[in-house]
Each structure stands twice: as C-alpha cells, then as structure tokens.
Amino acid sequence: MTALAVIPARGGSQRIPRKNLKRFNGEPMIVGSIRTALNSGLFDRVIVSTDDEEIAEVARRYGADVPFMRPSELADAFTGTGPVVQHAIRSLDAHYDFTCCIYATAPLLQPRFLRQGLEALHAAPDKAFAFSVCSFGFPIQRALKINDDGSLDAVHPEFRHVRSQDLPPAYQDAGQFYWGRSAAWLRGDVIFSPLSLPVILPRHLVQDIDDEEDWRRAEYLYAALKAGGEIEP
C-alpha cells in the first residue's frame, strides 16, 4: 500500500495576500501542513503543487518535493481541488494506491486524524474517499434568515417546534484533508457523496481561514491548544 500527499498552494490569494507564505507561529503557513504530513509517517512522498517559485523554494527547504510547476490554467481562483490533484497524480512517474490532498492553510491539522482517514478508507474497499468533517454547533434545521423587510423568519418552518435535541446532527467539511483512492481522484468521483467516509474532528480543532478574522481566530486557537498540550509535534 503506497500513499501520496498533495499540498495545493497557488501563489495568488484574494482575501489574504500571499496567504500560504504568511507567518503563522513564526513560520510560513504552508510549513505546518508539510511538517504534519512528513511527521505522520503515512506517505511515500509529500509534494507541493504550486505555480509560485517562492512557495516552491519554501516547500523544498522544509522537506517537501516540488516535481513540477503547476500550469497557469490550474492556478486561478476558480479551479477546484479535483483537477489540481488529478494533474499532480498524472505528472508523477510512479503509481500510488492512495492520494491525500492536504490544504496548505490547515494549522490545526493533526497526524492522528490523517491516520484515521487512511485506516477507514483502507478498511472499506467499496468507498472512494475519507475526509475531515466536524459537526455544526447548532442544528441547521433551526437556522434563521432575515427577510427583505428586516424581520426574522425560520429557514425551515417545519422544525420550529421540534426540540433541538430531537434533530439529527449535521456536519460540515472541515477543510483540512481529503484521502482518496488514486483511481477515484482520476475518475473524478464525487467527494461529497455516499462514496465518502467521515473523519470526525472536534470543533475546537477546526478553523477555516478565508479572511483576517479567521486568521486571528486560528492564531488564538493554536496558542491555546499548544499551551494545553493538544498540538502534536
């Protein structure tokens, strides 16, 4: 059983300029994902897919491979993860049974959850993917909306009088990693489907980073988790 890690890291970033290289805990943000992937011991190869020479230099310095530069048509703000991973798999001269896409901006990523994902997928030959999710903090069935006149209303009126504890939990993509069988990536199988298994993370270990407020929250979480000994080396 062989495994490849692909860390997508394009140079452009609209809301946080140069996000993948911005300093987090004293190092470029991407370093955390590279180090976690390497330290997990799960991968035969850890590569970074980038169109940016500075990101490539940092990736190599911290132990990742950069076997190619990503073409410009796969480095815009509209290209999804799937085509980037497909390009990476096809660009290599070796076959890997499993490929894990790890986001460069996942500073709370933990090796133990990467292991859980691979173990779950390996044990379920009928599944194509396993990826990180976390539960919503409150039932989505009780969500509210603001009407055009400024008043509030229920998004799902049929659940107005259902107790929150009687509603099934819902989960969101945690935005950290996506294990997949390499063949499934290449086929373009749908990830958000019954082909996938969940790796459930506690909510305090999840923080998407899209804007400056997200970044500050991630820094606070990381500092607290480090002080509490919950961040794995």
Side-chain angles (χ1 to χ4, degrees):
M1 182 180 69
T2 55
L4 169 71
V6 178
I7 302 175
R10 69 186 185 94
S13 180
Q14 295 175 319
R15 286 171 287 190
I16 303 177
R18 307 292 285 164
K19 178 170 68 171
N20 293 317
L21 292 178
K22 185 175 179 179
R23 294 270 163 175
F24 187 96
N25 191 40
E27 296 178 317
M29 169 65 82
I30 192 175
V31 171
S33 294
I34 293 172
R35 182 175 290 127
T36 300
L38 292 170
N39 289 348
S40 73
L42 298 172
F43 301 104
D44 297 274
R45 194 174 186 185
V46 175
I47 72 168
V48 169
S49 170
T50 186
D51 61 320
D52 187 278
E53 291 290 352
E54 186 179 2
I55 291 175
E57 191 279 324
V58 169
R60 294 188 184 102
R61 189 192 321 152
Y62 284 91
D65 291 335
V66 187
F68 55 81
M69 295 302 291
R70 196 195 308 177
S72 58
E73 62 268 23
L74 292 177
D76 59 32
F78 303 99
T79 301
T81 297
V84 172
V85 176
Q86 290 172 356
H87 172 264
I89 295 172
R90 291 182 176 128
S91 297
L92 301 179
D93 57 3
H95 169 76
Y96 298 91
D97 301 307
F98 298 93
T99 298
C100 185
C101 174
I102 299 175
Y103 280 167
T105 53
L108 306 183
L109 177 65
Q110 299 288 291
R112 66 182 183 273
F113 297 119
L114 287 172
R115 294 187 203 104
Q116 286 180 22
L118 179 57
E119 290 168 359
L121 189 55
H122 187 257
D126 60 324
K127 300 301 181 184
F129 300 100
F131 65 93
S132 56
V133 301
C134 66
S135 63
F136 283 94
F138 192 78
I140 60 173
Q141 300 90 337
R142 297 287 296 277
L144 301 174
K145 63 179 179 179
I146 299 177
N147 297 319
D148 291 341
D149 65 358
S151 62
L152 282 170
D153 199 358
V155 173
H156 301 287
E158 65 272 27
F159 295 113
R160 281 189 181 119
H161 303 298
V162 179
R163 299 186 310 166
S164 60
Q165 60 264 44
D166 294 330
L167 295 168
Y171 295 86
Q172 66 186 65
D173 178 7
Q176 292 190 358
F177 63 87
Y178 308 84
W179 276 106
R181 301 183 190 279
S182 296
W185 282 113
L186 291 173
R187 286 193 304 266
D189 289 354
V190 178
I191 296 178
F192 295 168
S193 77
L195 290 172
S196 295
L197 297 168
V199 181
I200 302 175
L201 278 56
R203 288 194 300 273
H204 71 278
L205 291 180
V206 175
Q207 178 59 51
D208 200 16
I209 303 179
D210 287 326
D211 55 33
E212 293 292 346
E213 183 177 356
D214 293 339
W215 187 283
R216 288 195 298 274
R217 179 176 170 81
E219 288 181 320
Y220 297 149
L221 281 171
Y222 186 92
L225 292 167
K226 189 175 181 179
E230 200 167 346
I231 291 289
E232 292 184 39

